[in-house]
Amino acid sequence: MTSFDCIVIGSGNAGCCAAFSARESGCDKVLIVDVCPPEWVGGNGFFTAGAFRTVHEGLQDLLPIVNNVSAEQAGLIDMDPYPREEYLRDIMRLSNDKGDPVLAGALVDASRDTITWLATKVGLPFMFSFHRQAYDVGGRQKFWGGMVLCTDDGGKGLIAAHQRALAKAKVDVWFNCPALEITTENGAVSGVVVQKDGEKIHLRSRAVVLAAGGFESNPQLREKHLGPGWERAIPPPLEPARLATGLAAIALAVWCVGDADAPKDGGERILTNQFTKSGYPLGIMVNSAGKRFVDEGEDYRNYTYAKFGRAIQNQPGSYVFQVWDSKTIGMLRKEEYGDGIVKKIFADTLEDLAEKLAANGLEAKGEFVQTVNEFNEAVKSYQAENLDSAWNPAVKDGMSTQSSNKQLSLPKSNWALTIDKPPFMAVKVACGITFTFGGVAIDPDTAGVISEKTSTTIPGFFATGEMVGLFHGNYPGGSGLMAGAVFGRRAGQAAAKLK
Ligand SMILES: Cc1cc2nc3c(=O)[nH]c(=O)nc-3n(C[C@H](O)[C@H](O)[C@H](O)COP(=O)(O)OP(=O)(O)OC[C@H]3O[C@@H](n4cnc5c(N)ncnc54)[C@H](O)[C@@H]3O)c2cc1C
């Protein structure tokens, strides 16, 4: 069969949502093509934490769709609502107002309803993200950072659920099948040329949805769009083959803070998202010259990991050390910092820690000890002036390094605690790319691709996910998968109208 009602390019979260939606909305013959082999189905989605950021009205709003909360546990949860204004403000403030406000508004407005669709129609197994987005404060689980939902078993659970939904909906998926060209007739999309079993074939369809992800796996494109040195950053695990869209990708990407020992040239399908190292708000980060380089307490982790990853890439050698003492080591998430997950460097004195870090790339032992000592002095000075303040990782507690007696030139604005109680622990981290920004412009209602020449949509041509130009410079964690779902669903609905 070479004729379809809708062809989706890419089997990631965005493509799966588009294909399911097309089928649900009335397309009989829906095909997904993916360049990857079957065991790599799901694109980057497989490697995620499965975190979805949505507008919500608080605990009672979301309880009906999660599977990991008993009535007794529900009574011990503190969860503030996350209104549309806050979500929108988060996208725009993190992008320095350079994100697309119209697409951002559409994403935010549709997010809650799309979560219900994902849970009830697609069958995603949602949970509250206790392990990533909440801290135990006085026996209660206090959520922070706006985002509360993830899929059971993270990205693995997300993609498994998508596969089940597609199989049930009888959507065909062709693997090892790169899309080479989108064809048009009289200005409207007419199909896709793909490579299948060594042959080029023309598949006909009035609707084609681009969901082929970003350019992060391609070192040449990274160097071209992000600059020299980026060809060496740790990419996500996808195959380098990418759709040649000829689009002017905006040269910006999202970065995350990742394990320095993560595989440099391919995915690790067991540990996946566990290579991220997001415990820096509980400690400090120091570069190979022994200096801090970011305000680790500037904001909640899920608002800073992208830009801090980029800051790490720009440090000498493109690696740094995260450092804690015994007060917070026990609070680090086991998935990221557990035994066997990452190389942990322990010592009983700061001098001994500096010695051990020197064997792992620290170039300035004396500077390192001085940095930590100065940091400790500044924290003590703040605490002496603010005897009533209490350290609380679940709120922006204002416990900083800045007091009337002492200020650091680079503050830690929240969650500042001394690093003086052994054992000390450090982990070496590098920058990993989460996804790339920039891509096609789309109509917010239909996800129809807008032609640069005519500023109108191209009939039959849709895009969703990472291929869409929505974010810029930084983004609120969990909104990548959400955007793929919102616009994938709309693309599928619009595709069905062309049948
Ligand atoms: C470690 C990590 C953790 C993350 N965690 C989260 C999270 O918890 N929440 C969140 O919102 N975001 C997260 N992200 C970002 C998220 O992964 C992306 O935003 C999202 O997966 C993009 O989905 P997509 O479907 O658009 O593209 P992709 O997942 O990149 O899928 C694109 C697919 O298209 C295929 N393809 C490419 N070119 C072609 C071609 N020419 N022909 C056919 N097929 C092609 C690829 O093989 C791939 O399967 C994370 C990213 C990483 C790396």
Side-chain angles (χ1 to χ4, degrees):
M1 182 201 304
T2 56
S3 185
F4 297 86
D5 295 327
C6 177
I7 297 174
V8 178
I9 301 170
S11 71
N13 171 66
C16 291
C17 288
F20 183 87
S21 164
R23 227 8 227 114
E24 180 190 51
S25 308
C27 288
D28 295 322
K29 290 180 285 179
V30 178
L31 173 70
I32 296 179
V33 293
D34 200 303
V35 63
C36 71
E39 60 274 21
W40 282 78
V41 66
N44 267 320
F46 185 87
F47 296 86
T48 67
F52 280 78
R53 178 177 292 260
T54 179
V55 163
H56 66 86
E57 291 174 6
L59 183 63
Q60 296 307 325
D61 179 16
L62 294 178
L63 265 181
I65 60 153
V66 296
N67 66 12
N68 65 333
V69 184
S70 66
E72 195 189 337
Q73 285 168 319
L76 297 172
I77 294 174
D78 291 328
M79 183 183 288
D80 293 332
Y82 189 55
R84 87 170 286 281
E85 294 70 30
E86 201 175 332
Y87 195 166
L88 194 54
R89 192 166 59 242
D90 280 341
I91 295 178
M92 297 313 288
R93 78 181 167 90
L94 294 176
S95 70
N96 287 328
D97 282 332
K98 289 181 180 156
D100 184 316
V102 177
L103 290 183
L107 157 64
V108 168
D109 287 339
S111 59
R112 181 62 188 83
D113 181 55
T114 305
I115 287 289
T116 299
W117 177 73
L118 289 167
T120 58
K121 304 287 183 184
V122 182
L124 296 195
F126 282 116
M127 312 164 62
F128 281 148
S129 188
F130 289 107
H131 57 312
R132 292 172 62 84
Q133 293 297 138
Y135 283 116
D136 184 328
V137 181
R140 298 186 65 80
Q141 290 292 319
K142 165 84 181 145
F143 279 84
W144 48 269
M147 207 194 59
V148 297
L149 290 177
C150 67
T151 44
D152 200 346
D153 204 19
K156 295 172 188 169
L158 165 73
I159 295 305
H162 273 311
Q163 290 309 295
R164 283 193 298 272
L166 293 180
K168 216 166 153 192
K170 299 197 176 3
V171 170
D172 271 345
V173 189
W174 292 1
F175 294 101
N176 298 309
C177 184
L180 305 175
E181 193 187 327
I182 314 286
T183 58
T184 56
E185 276 167 26
N186 303 320
V189 160
S190 60
V192 185
V193 177
V194 299
Q195 180 120 20
K196 188 164 169 34
D197 303 327
E199 273 183 45
K200 277 188 185 179
I201 49 173
H202 186 198
L203 307 176
R204 298 197 64 86
S205 179
R206 279 195 211 161
V208 171
V209 184
L210 281 182
F215 61 87
E216 58 272 359
S217 305
N218 184 316
Q220 288 79 33
L221 285 182
R222 287 206 302 274
E223 189 179 17
K224 180 175 167 198
H225 292 298
L226 305 177
W230 283 98
E231 73 282 6
R232 295 192 301 275
I234 303 170
L238 296 180
E239 307 255 310
R242 289 286 171 179
L243 186 73
T245 57
L247 303 167
I250 298 166
L252 286 170
V254 177
W255 296 269
C256 69
V257 181
D259 186 335
D261 293 327
K264 303 283 186 287
D265 54 0
E268 213 284 10
R269 292 184 76 82
I270 307 293
L271 290 179
T272 62
N273 192 57
Q274 289 177 260
F275 281 112
T276 56
K277 296 287 166 269
S278 57
Y280 52 82
L282 302 173
I284 58 172
M285 292 200 281
V286 179
N287 66 15
S288 62
K291 300 275 193 200
R292 289 174 57 242
F293 55 96
V294 291
D295 175 352
E296 301 89 342
E298 175 185 300
D299 207 334
Y300 296 111
R301 168 197 63 78
N302 57 3
Y303 297 125
T304 56
Y305 66 84
K307 70 185 224 184
F308 286 180
R310 174 194 198 173
I312 290 170
Q313 177 72 7
N314 292 332
Q315 298 310 301
S318 297
Y319 62 82
V320 307
F321 301 97
Q322 297 180 337
V323 183
W324 306 268
D325 76 357
S326 59
K327 296 196 283 300
T328 53
I329 291 172
M331 298 179 72
L332 295 170
R333 291 173 39 220
K334 301 282 173 290
E335 314 93 271
E336 295 182 359
Y337 296 97
D339 293 340
I341 303 292
V342 64
K343 179 176 167 186
K344 297 187 273 194
I345 301 164
F346 286 100
D348 283 330
T349 65
L350 287 175
E351 289 72 15
D352 189 23
L353 185 63
E355 250 348 299
K356 290 183 174 170
L357 293 187
N360 287 275
L362 176 67
E363 305 280 355
K365 292 183 277 186
E367 280 284 355
F368 170 80
V369 174
Q370 196 182 333
T371 295
V372 181
N373 283 335
E374 269 183 10
F375 177 83
N376 288 342
E377 289 312 310
V379 174
K380 282 183 199 159
S381 181
Y382 176 90
Q383 289 176 348
E385 276 184 19
N386 296 277
L387 293 173
D388 290 341
S389 54
W391 187 81
N392 182 350
V395 296
K396 287 196 204 171
D397 63 3
M399 292 204 55
S400 80
T401 50
Q402 312 304 91
S403 59
S404 62
N405 269 337
K406 189 165 173 67
Q407 295 96 43
L408 296 183
S409 54
L410 179 59
K412 181 172 179 187
S413 302
N414 291 289
W415 314 302
L417 281 181
T418 52
I419 298 180
D420 59 358
K421 193 165 173 250
F424 302 100
M425 185 179 115
V427 159
K428 186 176 181 179
V429 299
C431 166
I433 301 176
T434 307
F435 67 91
T436 48
F437 291 141
V440 290
I442 57 165
D443 178 318
D445 297 327
T446 61
V449 175
I450 297 173
S451 156
E452 211 175 20
K453 273 192 196 148
T454 65
S455 298
T456 58
T457 51
I458 302 165
F461 197 21
F462 306 94
T464 181
E466 213 175 310
M467 301 206 89
V468 171
L470 162 54
F471 305 111
H472 195 285
N474 193 7
Y475 87 128
S479 40
L481 293 174
M482 196 71 247
V486 165
F487 296 115
R489 184 184 182 195
R490 290 187 175 180
Q493 288 164 343
K497 292 197 174 129
L498 297 173
K499 204 188 135 201

